[in-house]
């Protein structure tokens, strides 16, 4: 079974400071990892994903995430936070499985509220 | 940029009634999904659909639920006899395929309230 943990319900960062939103995962095979963002009354917007290759993945709006296999983590980062980054962030995983016959559906973490203070 | 759309944005129904939630996936996508998010809880996978049949379903997706692609554009989720615990936000998603490059893109959701 696959699972995702986002240990922080809320992260507060001052505008202009770097931000990190934490995510750890568990899968039986190889992970596909994703970050989505949800603004109030909106759907989930795709930010970035890790499939294979470079451990540092760059995505939309200046966000990036670092895949760490030994720590089974995929933390979301941004060098300089904006007030407009304030939203609910979800980490998700899809298990590729050892032979490629993994899950269709994404397993989501519970979400982390990111609050950027002016 | 193409988007997944969902209607209605909010549906209120009485317990025991049937509801149909509608989605229009991105036009060239082949895989379709339904997820739900009960208030304050995680987004949960319900079902995936490919080539006019269910590809995978979770244990949540019991006999009360069904999915259908009635025409070339719509993808629907039907709940036959709604229960109070079906109240949630329901998200539709679509992807080009299941390859490693295929991202699932989500619609804005339908908030279902069962009274």
């Amino acid at each position: 079974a696959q699972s995702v943990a986002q240990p922080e319900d809320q992260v507060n960062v001052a505008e202009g400071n770097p931000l990190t939103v934490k995510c750890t995962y568990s899968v039986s095979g190889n992970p596909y990892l994703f970050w989505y963002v949800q603004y109030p009354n909106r759907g989930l917007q795709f930010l970035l994903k890790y499939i294979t290759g470079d451990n540092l993945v760059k995505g939309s709006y200046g966000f990036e995430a670092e895949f760490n296999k030994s720590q089974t983590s995929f933390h979301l980062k941004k060098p300089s936070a904006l007030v407009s980054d304030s939203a609910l962030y979800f980490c998700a995983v899809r298990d590729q499985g050892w032979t490629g016959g993994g899950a269709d559906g994404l397993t989501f973490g519970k979400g982390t509220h990111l609050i950027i203070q002016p | 940029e193409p988007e997944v759309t969902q209607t209605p944005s909010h549906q209120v129904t009485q317990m025991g009634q049937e509801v149909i939630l509608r989605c229009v996936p991105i036009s060239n996508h082949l895989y379709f999904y339904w997820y739900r998010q009960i208030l304050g809880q995680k987004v949960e996978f319900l079902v995936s659909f490919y080539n006019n049949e269910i590809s995978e379903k979770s244990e949540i997706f019991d006999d009360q639920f069904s999915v259908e692609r009635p025409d070339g554009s719509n993808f629907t989720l039907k709940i036959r006899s709604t229960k109070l615990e079906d109240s949630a936000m329901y998200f539709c998603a679509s992807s080009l395929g299941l390859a490693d490059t295929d991202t699932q893109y989500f619609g804005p959701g339908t908030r279902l309230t069962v009274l």
Side-chain angles (χ1 to χ4, degrees):
Chain A
Q2 53 195 34
S3 66
V4 174
Q6 293 180 244
E8 303 150 318
D9 289 335
Q10 183 169 303
V11 171
N12 295 284
V13 178
E15 187 177 25
N17 283 359
L19 68 88
T20 299
V21 183
K22 295 179 181 176
C23 171
T24 58
Y25 68 90
S26 174
V27 295
S28 58
N30 295 314
Y32 296 150
L33 293 155
F34 304 82
W35 277 100
Y36 286 85
V37 59
Q38 185 179 32
Y39 296 99
N41 302 314
R42 302 282 298 276
L44 299 167
Q45 296 181 34
F46 169 72
L47 272 182
L48 51 80
K49 65 184 177 185
Y50 171 82
I51 302 300
T52 187
D54 289 340
N55 290 341
L56 186 63
V57 178
K58 293 187 184 297
S60 306
Y61 313 119
F63 283 93
E64 57 190 27
E66 187 168 11
F67 171 64
N68 187 317
K69 188 173 182 178
S70 63
Q71 296 184 5
T72 61
S73 67
F74 189 57
H75 301 331
L76 181 70
K77 300 181 180 184
K78 187 173 182 179
S80 179
L82 299 172
V83 172
S84 57
D85 293 330
S86 298
L88 182 59
Y89 289 80
F90 290 96
C91 181
V93 68
R94 184 159 78 83
D95 188 350
Q96 184 191 10
W98 291 111
T99 59
D104 289 3
L106 298 174
T107 294
F108 284 85
K110 62 179 172 61
T112 298
H113 288 274
L114 177 64
I115 298 174
I116 309 301
Q117 294 150 335
Chain B
E1 185 175 323
E3 292 181 332
V4 176
T5 60
Q6 291 184 244
T7 55
S9 58
H10 191 190
Q11 174 94 42
V12 181
T13 189
Q14 296 290 326
M15 188 170 56
Q17 295 296 304
E18 174 184 287
V19 294
I20 297 176
L21 309 182
R22 292 182 168 79
C23 167
V24 179
I26 294 172
S27 62
N28 63 336
H29 284 187
L30 301 177
Y31 273 84
F32 315 119
Y33 312 82
W34 284 102
Y35 291 78
R36 80 172 184 191
Q37 183 182 28
I38 295 172
L39 188 63
Q41 298 186 24
K42 294 182 181 184
V43 177
E44 301 171 293
F45 169 73
L46 292 178
V47 66
S48 59
F49 190 86
Y50 171 72
N51 199 26
N52 281 320
E53 61 183 26
I54 290 174
S55 176
E56 181 184 334
K57 60 182 180 179
S58 72
E59 57 192 26
I60 302 169
F61 193 87
D62 62 22
D63 292 345
Q64 292 283 75
F65 293 92
S66 62
V67 288
E68 190 179 33
R69 187 155 164 84
D71 53 41
S73 60
N74 290 286
F75 177 53
T76 62
L77 174 69
K78 181 191 291 185
I79 309 175
R80 289 189 182 82
S81 178
T82 50
K83 299 179 282 225
L84 294 176
E85 54 265 38
D86 293 327
S87 294
M89 181 74 89
Y90 288 82
F91 292 107
C92 174
S94 69
S95 67
L96 192 58
L98 267 188
D100 55 7
T101 55
D102 294 329
T103 300
Q104 293 181 26
Y105 292 93
F106 286 75
T110 293
R111 181 168 297 285
L112 176 64
T113 302
V114 182
L115 302 176

